[in-house]
């Protein structure tokens, strides 16, 4: 009897120890801290006013007057201000034949400026960087952009570098996913991620309307940020990564081809955005939220969601249940304090805001980022975060959700927890006091009345 | 009385035995140390007799409880140790794209097209000279768009080539392994010079209807060594995600990269790069260990980008007329040698037997402290590996590595024959070479393979694999119809 008792005690102790060990094992190397991020602010001579946009559009002699009107309407109604930036080669008139150097210079300027500042602010030397990831979707020269950075900053020989390309506007969470996975396999690692987009080589100068939207909406921008899993740097970190969800619905043919780079009928390459894009976005969004909700929401809210689902099914089984309606049944604000939404366009931001049940205050950072910087593709999330920080909204223990969409079709999201009260101005330093402005209406509207009639 | 000098052969034979003896001694040092200890213990036991042994046992006064406790502690410690070790990564199987014969570009076709496309007689003759000395054969293939005069590098044609090469390779892999696309957890694709949006990984997800939570990554611009970078990334991901598999696709798309100018340093890629692709299935599942061909032992990456000379030696730029191409500098071989040396410094201690490491260390110490004129000791990598897959970047690269590593002709045969039959297929060439070795029936269980890739940046990446089961011939792959003709003798210059 005694023996049995002792054996069972020992077994219990061993299993307890195993559970503790598993828990401990799960936690070590699991952290991913954001040390700092620097958003790119191009020089003021690259500002694209509506008037300048109109001049550039008119340069394309292949377009007819209705086409000009359509494009100007898009520019004016886009919610983009007069202060967004474009590539030098396009402003200087070389949009149809940019040289290789133009394209490289555009990306170099963004990468080097932001990295210089990042290394300065974090007081970390480039030689200490262990992992380097660059994602620029539409430009991949040889040697890769990561090699350019390794060369410029004289990084170590054993730096793990990855150059992601073609991954669209939601590539930021993908780069974070890559770094996070590497963090789980090694200790005390430092990673630098550069995210940007290349506009100069991708200007469309044909006549296909579906491909001209890209020209109107994309603007120059980028961000460099530093991540680490070293616990000793936690006190300097801004945020800590809680979870990351990637959803890819490329298996569906419509979703795959709704945002695709291809040639038009005359053989000119452009980025085609089809009419089925919103539908694909909704599906990808729902797919992502389904997996994100259990990780982000408190147990109470999840239980409520299940109950609401049952009630919906029992009492209104005849009504068609759309994915957006499902999403609206969940109150994400119970688990998330701030929302960084991809600034794909005013319509996208509003649609996502409605689906998540967000107020004007919640979508303000995204709308203001669209206004001040335009659609800077993958780096837009960081400008939105920068707005929140400059407005001193980010307090310790706040939870920030980054949500973005990209060609493929993907919806990626990640949840951060703020580690200390943040108040850097960053790229918004000189203009944050003017935000939110009285009106988001484009001054062009008054100048050229005929645009409204088109 | 003057002694007759020893004849050459007997001194060299004695040296060989000394070297063998030394290697045996150092590599089995621990075993040799343990043998006298074990012998002593055995003799002592025999001397003591069973009575004394039982007396000794009883005197320890071991309780059942204590025995059980120590038993459990040992099992617990063993479990903790086993679960915290890195997960093994297995290569279940791989498939290479076999180009259709309609895409063949014999020398005559290449030269005829070049003469019709190019207006500059000098550059035509230069390309002819490159081709004569390239080590390529008559069966290498270019994509359909490059068969037009002039080539038609449209995005549609590039996508068509991508679909042809990648989907064929993946279909082959699916057939060989019985892989279900819905089971793929990780997808890594690398293609250096063609990165449309959506990415090639999205193209694969679309065609094979992969799951929505597949972790996909698309690497681009990373050069001819990107295949091993993808394997490295897949390995890191497989360490984190238990019971998963990863599909790695390595390719290079030729269609958009035809150089239409006349600058010599940029004409080489036109002459050497050919169509190719490989799809590799990696897994960390225990049940796959039984049917896997190889286990990944090490991956070592070296990036010499901090050195300006190395960084600029493979560089994409525009020539004076505005044609975009990749220029290769004249120091390419020297830089490749240096990059390899750096890579070896890291991989050497991981793979070399103790005897070689000790010799290298002693020579290093000697050079630093005693006499700097001592020749640096080049470790004998033939002791660490049975097979070598050197990136078939060009004849000069293979020659340089053969010299640097002191390899025999048989060791570099796979690389030379791959260059001859398929040309420089960039990141997938290492897989064609591995397939050659298997097709020749040389791959046995326990053999170790060293894959070395070079790429723009300048990078040198290595992967070490260990063969888990002897590969039986005939092997189903791109060499199946021509392996009997190989090896061929490749002359220095093929007169055109």
């Amino acid at each position: 009897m005694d023996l049995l008792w002792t054996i069972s005690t020992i077994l219990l102790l061993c299993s307890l120890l195993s559970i503790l060990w598993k828990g401990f094992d799960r936690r070590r190397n699991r952290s991913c801290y954001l040390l700092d991020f620097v958003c790119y602010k191009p020089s003021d001579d690259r500002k694209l006013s509506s008037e300048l946009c109109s001049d550039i559009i008119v340069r394309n002699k292949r377009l007819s007057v209705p086409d000009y009107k359509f494009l100007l309407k898009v520019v004016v109604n886009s919610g983009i201000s007069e202060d967004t930036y474009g590539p030098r080669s396009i402003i200087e008139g070389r949009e149809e034949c940019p040289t290789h150097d133009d394209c490289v210079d555009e990306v170099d300027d963004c990468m080097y400026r932001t990295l210089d500042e990042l290394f300065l602010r974090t007081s970390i030397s480039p030689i200490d960087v262990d992992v380097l990831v660059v994602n620029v979707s539409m430009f991949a020269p040889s040697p890769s952009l990561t090699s350019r950075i390794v060369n410029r900053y004289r990084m170590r020989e054993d730096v793990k570098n990855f150059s992601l390309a073609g991954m669209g506007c939601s590539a930021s969470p993908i780069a974070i996913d890559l770094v996070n996975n590497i963090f789980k396999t090694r200790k005390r690692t430092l990673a630098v991620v550069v995210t940007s987009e290349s506009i100069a080589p991708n200007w469309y100068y044909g006549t296909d309307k579906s491909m001209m939207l890209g020209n109107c909406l994309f603007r120059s921008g980028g961000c460099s940020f530093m991540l680490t899993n070293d616990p000793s740097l936690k006190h300097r970190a801004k945020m800590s990564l809680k979870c990351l969800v990637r959803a890819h619905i490329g298996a569906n043919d419509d979703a795959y081809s709704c945002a695709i780079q291809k040639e038009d009928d005359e053989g000119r390459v452009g980025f085609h955005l089809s009419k089925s894009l919103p539908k694909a976005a909704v599906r990808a969004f729902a797919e992502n939220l389904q997996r994100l909700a259990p990780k982000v929401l408190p147990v109470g809210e999840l239980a409520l969601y299940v109950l609401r689902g049952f009630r919906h099914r029992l009492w209104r089984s005849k009504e068609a249940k759309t994915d957006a309606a499902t999403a609206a049944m969940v109150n994400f604000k119970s688990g998330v304090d701030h929302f960084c939404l991809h600034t794909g366009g005013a319509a996208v931001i509003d649609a996502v805001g409605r689906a998540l049940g967000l107020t004007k205050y919640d979508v303000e950072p995204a709308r203001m980022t669209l206004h001040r910087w335009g659609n800077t593709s993958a780096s837009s999330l960081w400008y939105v975060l920068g707005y929140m920080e400059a407005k001193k909204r980010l307090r310790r223990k706040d939870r920030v959700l980054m949500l973005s969409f990209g060609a493929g079709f993907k919806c990626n999201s990640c949840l951060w927890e703020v580690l200390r009260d943040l108040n850097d101005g960053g790229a918004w330093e000189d203009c944050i006091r003017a935000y939110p402005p009285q009106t988001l209406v484009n001054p062009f509207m008054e100048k050229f009345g005929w645009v409204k009639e088109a | 009385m003057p002694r007759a000098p020893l004849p050459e052969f007997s001194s060299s034979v004695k040296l060989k035995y000394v070297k063998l003896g030394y290697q045996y001694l150092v590599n089995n040092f621990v075993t040799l140390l343990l043998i006298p200890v074990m012998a002593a213990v055995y003799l002592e036991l025999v001397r003591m007799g069973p009575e004394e042994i039982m007396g000794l046992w009883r005197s320890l006064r071991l309780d059942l409880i204590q025995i059980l406790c120590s038993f459990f502690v040992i099992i617990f410690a063993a479990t903790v140790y086993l679960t915290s070790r890195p997960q093994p990564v297995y290569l279940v199987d791989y498939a290479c794209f076999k180009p259709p014969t309609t895409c063949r570009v014999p020398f005559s076709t290449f030269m005829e097209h070049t003469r019709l496309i190019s207006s500059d007689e000098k550059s035509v003759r230069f390309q002819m000279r490159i081709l004569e000395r390239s080590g390529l054969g008559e069966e290498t293939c270019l994509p359909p768009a490059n068969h037009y005069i002039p080539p038609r590098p449209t995005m549609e044609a590039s996508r068509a080539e991508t679909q042809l090469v990648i989907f064929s390779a993946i279909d082959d892999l699916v057939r060989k392994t019985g892989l279900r696309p819905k089971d793929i957890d990780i997808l890594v694709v690398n293609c250096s010079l063609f990165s449309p949006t959506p990415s090639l990984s999205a193209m694969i997800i679309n065609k094979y209807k992969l799951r929505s939570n597949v972790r996909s990554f698309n690497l681009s611009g990373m050069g001819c060594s990107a295949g091993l970078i993808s394997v490295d990334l897949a390995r890191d991901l497989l360490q984190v995600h238990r019971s998963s598999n990863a599909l790695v696709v390595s390719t290079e798309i030729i269609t958009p990269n035809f150089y239409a100018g006349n600058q010599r340093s940029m004409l080489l890629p036109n002459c050497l790069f050919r169509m190719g692709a490989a799809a590799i299935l990696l897994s960390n599942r225990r049940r796959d260990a039984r049917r896997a061909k190889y286990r990944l032992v090490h991956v070592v990456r070296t990036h010499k980008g901090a050195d300006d000379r190395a960084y600029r030696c493979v560089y994409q730029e525009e020539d004076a007329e505005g044609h975009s191409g990749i220029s290769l500098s004249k120091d390419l071989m020297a830089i490749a040698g240096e990059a390899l040396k750096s890579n070896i410094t890291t991989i050497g201690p991981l793979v070399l037997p103790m005897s070689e490491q000790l010799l290298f260390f002693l020579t290093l110490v000697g050079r630093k402290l005693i006499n700097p004129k001592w020749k640096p000791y080049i470790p004998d990598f033939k002791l660490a590996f049975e097979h070598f897959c050197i990136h078939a970047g060009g004849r000069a690269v293979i020659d340089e590595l053969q010299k640097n590593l002191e390899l025999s002709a048989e060791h570099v045969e796979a690389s030379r024959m791959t260059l001859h039959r398929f040309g420089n297929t960039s990141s997938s060439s290492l897989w064609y070479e591995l397939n050659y070795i298997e097709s020749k029936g040389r791959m046995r269980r326990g053999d170790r393979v060293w894959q070395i890739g070079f790429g723009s940046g300048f990078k040198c990446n290595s992967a070490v694999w260990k063969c888990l089961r002897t590969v039986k011939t005939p092997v189903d792959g791109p060499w199946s119809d021509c392996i009997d003709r190989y090896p061929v003798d490749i002359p220095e210059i093929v007169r055109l």
Side-chain angles (χ1 to χ4, degrees), chain A residues 154 157 161 246 261 263, chain B residues 155 159 216 301 303 306:
Chain A
R154 309 281 182 230
E157 277 180 8
N161 57 323
R246 292 173 59 179
Q261 204 178 8
E263 277 139 352
Chain B
M155 181 163 269
R159 280 222 164 90
S216 63
R301 292 172 59 176
H303 199 304

Side-chain angles (χ1 to χ4, degrees), chain B residues 57-76:
Chain B
W57 180 254
R58 256 179 252 119
S59 73
L60 282 173
R61 257 179 278 161
L62 281 175
D63 235 324
L64 187 62
I65 305 293
Q66 286 171 335
I67 299 174
L68 281 172
C69 272
S70 31
F71 197 53
F72 282 129
V73 166
I74 291 171
I75 291 187
F76 177 71

Side-chain angles (χ1 to χ4, degrees), chain B residues 479-495:
Chain B
W479 292 96
S480 53
D481 63 346
C482 59
I483 192 67
D484 298 320
R485 282 190 273 126
Y486 282 88
V488 293
D489 179 41
I490 306 172
E492 274 293 324
I493 302 175
V494 177
R495 283 276 166 230

Side-chain angles (χ1 to χ4, degrees), chain A residues 247-293:
Chain A
H248 198 307
I249 57 165
N252 177 288
D253 287 332
D254 286 331
Y256 172 70
S257 51
C258 73
I260 190 166
Q261 204 178 8
K262 62 180 191 183
E263 277 139 352
D264 63 9
D265 297 328
E266 288 151 19
R268 294 191 194 92
V269 177
F271 200 75
H272 164 76
L273 299 167
S274 93
K275 288 190 169 55
S276 57
L277 196 147
K279 197 162 149 219
V282 164
R283 278 197 54 204
F285 189 35
E287 184 81 38
N288 189 293
L289 288 187
Q290 259 173 34
R291 288 175 23 218
L292 183 68

Side-chain angles (χ1 to χ4, degrees), chain B residues 68-247:
Chain B
L68 281 172
C69 272
S70 31
F71 197 53
F72 282 129
V73 166
I74 291 171
I75 291 187
F76 177 71
T79 324
V80 163
Y81 170 69
L82 286 170
T83 49
S84 56
R85 263 191 344 181
Q87 297 214 57
V89 174
Y90 302 110
L91 191 157
V92 178
D93 210 340
Y94 64 97
C96 299
F97 166 66
K98 176 135 182 253
T101 48
T102 46
C103 291
R104 271 191 197 167
V105 179
F107 291 168
S108 51
T109 313
F110 186 87
M111 288 321 303
E112 186 183 342
H113 281 229
T114 310
R115 278 191 201 98
L116 290 167
I117 296 164
S118 174
S119 50
D120 183 19
E121 185 55 38
K122 276 197 182 145
S123 66
V124 170
R125 262 185 280 136
F126 178 70
Q127 290 186 68
M128 191 163 85
R129 280 208 307 276
I130 298 176
L131 211 55
E132 285 173 352
R133 291 161 179 75
S134 61
L136 261 69
E138 303 268 14
E139 294 174 283
T140 61
C141 296
L142 281 176
N146 284 47
H147 288 257
Y148 285 92
I149 302 170
R152 295 187 190 169
T154 60
M155 181 163 269
E156 200 180 321
S158 308
R159 280 222 164 90
E161 183 194 342
T162 313
Q163 287 171 351
L164 172 66
V165 305
I166 292 184
F167 295 167
S168 308
I170 297 179
D171 287 340
D172 255 344
L173 184 67
V174 163
R175 193 177 38 83
K176 278 186 186 181
T177 56
L179 171 73
R180 284 185 312 167
K182 289 262 179 257
D183 285 341
I184 297 174
D185 304 297
I186 297 162
L187 173 65
V188 184
V189 180
N190 71 270
C191 173
S192 196
L193 298 167
F194 179 55
S195 56
T197 301
S199 57
L200 301 187
S201 56
M203 195 189 271
I204 296 173
I205 292 173
N206 174 248
K207 161 86 178 176
Y208 291 95
K209 312 291 178 221
L210 302 189
R211 297 194 318 257
S212 68
N213 63 349
V214 68
R215 295 195 129 82
S216 63
F217 297 94
N218 192 83
L219 303 173
S220 206
M222 307 208 79
C224 299
S225 64
L228 296 179
I229 296 178
S230 305
V231 167
D232 180 40
L233 178 59
R235 179 190 61 159
D236 282 338
L237 290 163
L238 287 172
Q239 296 302 314
V240 177
H241 303 285
R242 304 212 165 226
S243 202
S244 306
N245 61 16
L247 175 63

Side-chain angles (χ1 to χ4, degrees), chain B residues 216-283:
Chain B
S216 63
F217 297 94
N218 192 83
L219 303 173
S220 206
M222 307 208 79
C224 299
S225 64
L228 296 179
I229 296 178
S230 305
V231 167
D232 180 40
L233 178 59
R235 179 190 61 159
D236 282 338
L237 290 163
L238 287 172
Q239 296 302 314
V240 177
H241 303 285
R242 304 212 165 226
S243 202
S244 306
N245 61 16
L247 175 63
V248 174
V249 179
S250 292
T251 184
E252 192 53 78
I253 302 302
I254 312 286
T255 304
N257 300 305
F258 178 74
Y259 172 61
N262 293 313
Q263 190 166 317
R264 286 191 181 188
S265 58
M266 298 195 193
L267 285 169
L268 276 109
N270 277 3
C271 303
L272 299 175
F273 278 91
R274 297 290 184 265
M275 270 208 306
I280 303 112
L281 180 63
L282 299 173
S283 168

